[in-house]
Amino acid sequence: MNRISLLLAATAVLTIASPSALAAQPGSALLDTYHAAAMKEEPGFRDFSARRGEQFFHAKHGDTSCASCHTDNPKAGGKHAKTGKAIEPLAPVANAKRLSDAAKVEKWFKRNCNDVLQRACTAREKGDFVAWLVSVK
Amino acid sequence: MKTILVWDLPLRLFHWLFAFSFAAAWLTAESDEWLSLHAFFGYLMLGLIGFRLVWGLVGSRYARFSSFLYGPRAGLDYLRASLTGHAARHLGHNPAGSQAVYLLLGLGLLAGFSGLFVQGGEEQHGATAGAFGYVVGNLIKEGHGFLANLMLLVVFAHLAGVALESWLHKENLARSMVTGLKAAEPGTPAARPNRLIGLLLLAAVTAFGAGWFFYAWHEPVERMGGHDDAAREAPPVAFVGKTLPESALWQEECGSCHLAFHPSLLPARSWQSLLAGQDRHFRDDLGLEAATVAKLLAFAVPNSAEQHASEAAWKINRSVPADATPLRITETPYWVKKHREIAAADWKNPKVKSKANCAACHQDAEAGTYEDAAMRIPR
């Protein structure tokens, strides 16, 4: 069994134990996709890290970070830095719609990585970030 | 000489309510923000004139038209006599004052009815909504304003006449219109007081006012999708025009970063250009799928500024030169003109922040209707 399977098994146990949990762990299919992509991109890649995902979220690039709009708390709503438009919370625990539509996740990675990093994000960065969001309780 | 009742209660109430409604309508014409109040005073005035016409037939002695049926010539003759100090005193309306009564009633009717058509044409609101388009509504508005100006002139003439007569005959005519009493030779017939009808008139006006403000305050704000907070602070929004088409996809794709500006706020060519350049959307690559772009265009083009009769759509479209393709609503000449007088401090207000934040002041920005009465600058 690889680590992902172990992780899934562990979360499955937690899911059954938790009364409010959903049937399928949000983001698991996404993580599988990013895992396969990361294996291709980085020969030495082994697994995602929620910790790295969290650091990535808070890391400053010039003046901005992901948290500039999304706030430091992934369970809180944010605000578009320029237009002030409200942004719903990122963590699936606070917003069940998050990570439920892979195309949408990709659309926002494309826009936001370009905005914050001035480049596309790597599969590892995306996977780390999703792993962290899923881990937020 | 003894004191008798000349002006019955309904007539006195009519007089002062008519004066008040005209003055209030005049003042509330100043800003679009007060349009619903302006319309209220217009309707009130029409209702009052309707009452006066009936009262002129069935009212007490001095209220009846038959007691002051003077032509314009008699009015002029009386005016000339007044100016030379030879005019005879009249207990009821004198021949010159009668001209003011007829002119004010007639002009009030014309101004009121023309207002209904302005509202129907320009705003697509009220009793005549949809009867015709913006152009005709705008033309009638010129006439409406002219009639109101003329009416104000007659009011001034009336006031001057009252002052002159009061001075000539050493009696306070304005006070008589409050108390209803005037000095008369013994044996002169007095007016019936008609207190009950006066009270009924007052009750009708009060009920109309209360009903209007309930209607203006609650229901339309709900209908416009105003949020609870906004509704509580909302100005009266009495009239709501046609709702504009909505699209869930448009809301979703355009509304996640900024207000989903309604397509009726820019010409079709602007939306085509914006969506063709969606990979360079004000320096952002939106990364939209071709199928999504096609669906967005299918909503935007048939609902662009050329296609809607709402005031904002019509005026924006007319203001944009044929060879220009503005990519921002804030670049259109109409937008610029309409927002020229907004103070710099209001733009800097954290609640406003950006010129793209239409919803900061326009409660119905999401719906695209930009009703005059739904506008309020946050302080």
Side-chain angles (χ1 to χ4, degrees):
Chain A
M1 271 181 125
N2 64 23
R3 288 183 186 204
I4 284 289
S5 316
L6 267 175
L7 185 81
L8 288 177
T11 46
V13 172
L14 281 172
T15 304
I16 293 157
S18 145
S20 66
L22 297 155
Q25 177 66 28
S28 60
L30 264 178
L31 281 173
D32 288 347
T33 315
Y34 290 142
H35 194 270
M39 296 280 269
K40 259 187 232 163
E41 277 178 19
E42 292 177 50
F45 174 77
R46 294 186 61 178
D47 210 347
F48 295 128
S49 144
R51 215 185 130 92
R52 272 199 318 254
E54 183 172 10
Q55 285 164 355
F56 174 76
F57 180 75
H58 294 292
K60 288 252 179 206
H61 305 269
D63 279 342
T64 50
S65 66
C66 309
S68 311
C69 292
H70 290 287
T71 77
D72 281 326
N73 176 5
K75 288 191 277 186
K79 224 166 90 178
H80 192 291
K82 228 160 65 196
T83 66
K85 182 88 186 178
I87 303 172
E88 288 178 46
L90 281 173
V93 67
N95 176 4
K97 282 179 285 175
R98 287 291 184 199
L99 308 183
S100 62
D101 179 342
K104 219 179 248 185
V105 174
E106 270 299 292
K107 181 175 87 180
W108 287 109
F109 269 133
K110 181 173 180 180
R111 286 180 190 170
N112 295 349
C113 294
N114 266 333
D115 269 353
V116 178
L117 305 171
Q118 327 294 325
R119 62 165 172 84
C121 290
T122 64
R124 185 171 59 77
E125 284 166 331
K126 294 180 193 172
D128 286 345
F129 178 66
V130 172
W132 172 59
L133 281 189
V134 178
S135 75
V136 172
K137 291 294 165 218
Chain B
M1 295 285 264
K2 63 170 192 164
T3 300
I4 64 162
L5 184 74
V6 174
W7 310 123
D8 60 28
L9 182 62
L11 184 127
R12 282 176 280 147
L13 282 172
F14 162 80
H15 176 272
W16 294 112
L17 286 169
F18 184 43
F20 166 74
S21 62
F22 174 65
W26 178 273
L27 293 172
T28 51
E30 193 63 36
S31 166
D32 286 347
E33 213 177 334
W34 303 322
L35 181 69
S36 59
L37 282 173
H38 180 74
F40 166 72
F41 292 119
Y43 276 109
L44 179 62
M45 201 168 81
L46 281 178
L48 288 166
I49 294 174
F51 168 81
R52 182 65 184 91
L53 293 180
V54 174
W55 203 238
L57 300 175
V58 303
S60 67
R61 189 180 190 91
Y62 302 95
R64 294 195 184 209
F65 294 130
S66 56
S67 74
F68 57 101
L69 274 181
Y70 300 105
R73 167 148 302 171
L76 277 177
D77 289 345
Y78 187 85
L79 193 63
R80 208 170 295 124
S82 291
L83 291 172
T84 52
H86 296 96
R89 177 176 180 261
H90 284 251
L91 200 55
H93 292 302
N94 70 44
S98 306
Q99 305 311 306
V101 175
Y102 294 129
L103 279 172
L104 288 171
L105 289 177
L107 287 170
L109 269 182
L110 289 173
F113 277 113
S114 61
L116 284 179
F117 287 98
V118 177
Q119 200 188 18
E122 273 205 337
E123 315 281 342
Q124 302 294 316
H125 286 174
T128 64
F132 31 67
Y134 195 93
V135 185
V136 181
N138 196 249
L139 269 174
I140 301 174
K141 189 179 182 174
E142 300 293 319
H144 179 67
F146 176 75
L147 288 165
N149 284 332
L150 207 57
M151 204 168 155
L152 188 67
L153 281 180
V154 179
V155 168
F156 286 139
H158 167 61
L159 293 176
V162 168
L164 178 66
E165 288 296 304
S166 296
W167 176 72
L168 273 180
H169 299 118
K170 310 272 177 290
E171 62 178 342
N172 187 337
L173 289 177
R175 193 177 60 202
S176 293
M177 194 45 84
V178 175
T179 61
L181 304 173
K182 282 180 119 180
E185 297 293 336
T188 314
R192 268 180 290 121
N194 287 306
R195 284 193 200 92
L196 182 64
I197 291 174
L199 290 176
L200 284 175
L201 175 68
L202 201 58
V205 169
T206 311
F208 176 53
W212 185 282
F213 282 98
F214 183 79
Y215 169 67
W217 201 276
H218 292 273
E219 203 227 355
V221 174
E222 288 290 310
R223 269 202 285 160
M224 293 171 63
H227 305 294
D228 287 350
D229 292 358
R232 232 172 284 128
E233 291 176 24
V237 184
F239 287 98
V240 180
K242 272 187 272 185
T243 53
L244 297 170
E246 286 175 33
S247 150
L249 183 74
W250 186 265
Q251 275 299 329
E252 163 76 27
E253 292 299 343
C254 308
S256 42
C257 288
H258 52 67
L259 178 83
F261 306 108
H262 196 272
S264 65
L265 303 176
L266 281 176
R269 58 185 183 278
S270 296
W271 295 116
Q272 281 155 341
S273 175
L274 275 164
L275 282 160
Q278 58 92 14
D279 56 336
R280 293 157 275 126
H281 187 75
F282 305 104
R283 283 183 310 197
D284 272 346
D285 180 356
L286 300 183
L288 296 173
E289 310 259 338
T292 311
V293 171
K295 279 185 212 157
L296 291 173
L297 270 176
F299 173 63
V301 172
N303 290 301
S304 62
E306 298 94 324
Q307 308 298 331
H308 284 291
S310 69
E311 187 176 15
W314 196 87
K315 287 192 171 171
I316 284 174
N317 186 45
R318 208 180 55 152
S319 79
V320 176
D323 59 346
T325 305
L327 299 184
R328 296 175 190 269
I329 297 158
T330 52
E331 285 168 1
T332 63
Y334 174 66
W335 190 98
V336 173
K337 182 179 151 230
K338 204 67 184 164
H339 294 83
R340 199 163 34 202
E341 284 172 18
I342 308 288
D346 288 324
W347 288 119
K348 286 199 197 101
N349 183 335
K351 287 181 190 154
V352 178
K353 210 175 155 204
S354 149
K355 292 192 176 175
N357 187 10
C358 313
C361 304
H362 299 277
Q363 292 163 49
D364 57 343
E366 292 266 351
T369 42
Y370 292 84
E371 299 288 358
D372 294 326
M375 200 273 292
R376 178 176 228 171
I377 296 171
R379 307 278 179 200

